[in-house]
């Protein structure tokens, strides 16, 4: 049953992706036609031209914020995960789980007040910090589970060779735990790339730093664009490309990293 359900979900996702790509190359008249056009025989790139002209800057903003979130998440989560893997603290781990249960809207409201006081609203720094609040706890749990499998003999051998804690962590632990690091980085990127709540709450009235999620929402909501569905679909395709490429490239590392999560203390 699980295999059948997975195949059905995969089929629905592939059909949705195909329909989105197909519609992005059609004219608006073809999309509005009652007869479906399964192949864009009269393909047009007008949708992509319009999408890049209107949403290209938002795509760049999302990329900057997502990469910043990945860097900040790894800088905080990797040392924390290593420390917890060497000297586990169940209260700390329980706290990390509790943090992930807090509704996002509660965090958004709290962060709005904090960033308003600090003058960080309508800035990429606010989005990076906000997205990292979701990514860091998850990354710590993922990398800690993987670092638990690092043989203690490797660390002891490095200590005998005179390596300090920082050098042991950077030269021994991180390379051995690269699958867990890649998995945490990928999920941090996905959290940030698909974020809408923080982006719409902390980035009010600043079009220069509007990510693609809010840009696409405004693009669809504007009265002049509700009939330009090929541009909307083209924007969706462009927004999906970075995620699709990352998933394909990092698939092997992600599978190994998630499998390490099954390790028990």
């Amino acid at each position: 049953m699980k295999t059948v359900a997975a195949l059905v979900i995969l089929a629905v996702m592939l059909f949705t992706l195909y329909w989105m790509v197909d519609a992005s190359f059609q004219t608006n008249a073809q999309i509005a036609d009652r007869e479906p056009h399964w192949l864009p025989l009269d393909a047009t790139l007008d949708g992509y031209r319009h999408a890049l002209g209107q949403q290209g800057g938002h795509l760049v903003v999302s990329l900057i914020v997502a990469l910043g979130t990945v860097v900040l998440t790894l800088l905080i989560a990797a040392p924390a995960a290593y420390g917890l893997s060497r000297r586990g603290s169940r209260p700390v781990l329980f706290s990390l789980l509790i943090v992930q249960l807090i509704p996002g809207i509660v965090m958004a409201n709290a962060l709005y007040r904090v960033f308003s006081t600090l003058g960080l609203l309508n800035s990429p720094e606010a989005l990076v910090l906000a997205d990292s609040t979701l990514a860091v706890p998850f990354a710590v749990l993922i990398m800690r589970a993987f670092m638990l499998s690092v043989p203690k003999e490797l660390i002891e051998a490095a200590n005998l060779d005179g390596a300090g804690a920082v050098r042991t962590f950077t030269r021994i632990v991180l390379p051995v735990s690269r699958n867990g690091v890649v998995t945490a980085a990928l999920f941090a990127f996905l959290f940030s790339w698909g974020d809408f709540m923080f982006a719409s709450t902390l980035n009010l009235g600043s079009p220069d730093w509007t990510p693609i999620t809010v840009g696409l929402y405004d693009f669809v909501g504007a009265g002049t664009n509700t009939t330009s569905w090929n541009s909307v679909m083209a924007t969706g395709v462009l927004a999906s490309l970075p995620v699709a490429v990352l998933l394909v490239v990092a698939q092997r590392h992600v599978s190994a990293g998630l499998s390490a999560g099954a390790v028990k203390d």
Side-chain angles (χ1 to χ4, degrees):
M1 287 297 294
K2 292 182 179 180
T3 303
V4 175
L7 291 176
V8 171
I9 295 174
L10 179 61
V12 172
M13 293 176 61
L14 290 177
F15 177 78
T16 303
L17 179 61
Y18 167 77
W19 178 80
M20 186 169 63
V21 174
D22 181 42
S24 69
F25 287 105
Q26 296 182 24
T27 63
N28 290 316
Q30 290 174 327
I31 296 175
D33 194 350
R34 292 187 177 183
E35 294 294 329
H37 296 267
W38 298 109
L39 293 175
L41 299 179
D42 300 325
T44 176
L45 295 176
D46 290 343
Y48 285 93
R49 295 190 187 99
H50 192 196
L52 288 174
Q54 296 289 328
Q55 302 295 322
H58 300 325
L59 287 168
V60 174
V61 171
S62 287
L63 185 62
I64 293 174
V65 173
L67 292 178
T69 301
V70 170
V71 172
L72 182 60
T73 298
L74 293 182
L75 287 177
I76 297 175
Y82 177 61
L84 291 174
S85 67
R86 295 300 99 188
R87 296 181 180 180
S89 176
R90 293 190 179 275
V92 175
L93 296 175
F94 183 74
S95 300
L96 292 176
L97 293 174
I98 293 297
V99 168
Q100 298 188 76
L101 297 178
I102 300 175
I105 188 62
V106 175
M107 297 180 63
N109 290 332
L111 290 174
Y112 180 87
R113 295 178 64 88
V114 173
F115 292 156
S116 177
T117 303
L118 297 176
L120 292 177
L121 291 179
N122 303 323
S123 68
E125 293 85 356
L127 297 179
V128 169
L129 291 172
D131 291 332
S132 297
T133 59
L134 294 178
V136 167
F138 184 83
V140 170
L141 295 175
I142 286 290
M143 286 191 285
R144 174 188 175 273
F146 200 91
M147 290 178 181
L148 285 172
S149 62
V150 177
K152 294 182 179 180
E153 290 77 10
L154 287 177
I155 299 176
E156 294 174 355
N159 293 334
L160 290 176
D161 290 339
V166 176
R167 187 176 180 183
T168 300
F169 173 67
T170 56
R171 298 294 182 88
I172 303 297
V173 177
L174 284 183
V176 175
S177 307
R178 62 182 177 275
N179 290 332
V181 173
V182 171
T183 302
L186 178 60
F187 276 94
F189 186 93
L190 294 178
F191 288 156
S192 178
W193 187 264
D195 170 61
F196 178 80
M197 182 170 50
F198 289 142
S200 60
T201 303
L202 305 176
N203 193 45
L204 300 175
S206 178
D208 294 336
W209 291 106
T210 300
I212 187 60
T213 50
V214 178
L216 182 58
Y217 176 78
D218 294 337
F219 190 58
V220 175
T224 57
N225 295 318
T226 52
T227 58
S228 183
W229 287 109
N230 59 350
S231 301
V232 173
M233 295 302 168
T235 304
V237 173
L238 293 174
S240 302
L241 283 178
V243 176
V245 172
L246 285 177
L247 288 175
V248 171
V249 172
Q251 180 182 7
R252 177 172 59 87
H253 298 286
V254 172
S255 299
L258 292 178
S259 298
V263 177
K264 295 183 179 179
D265 289 339

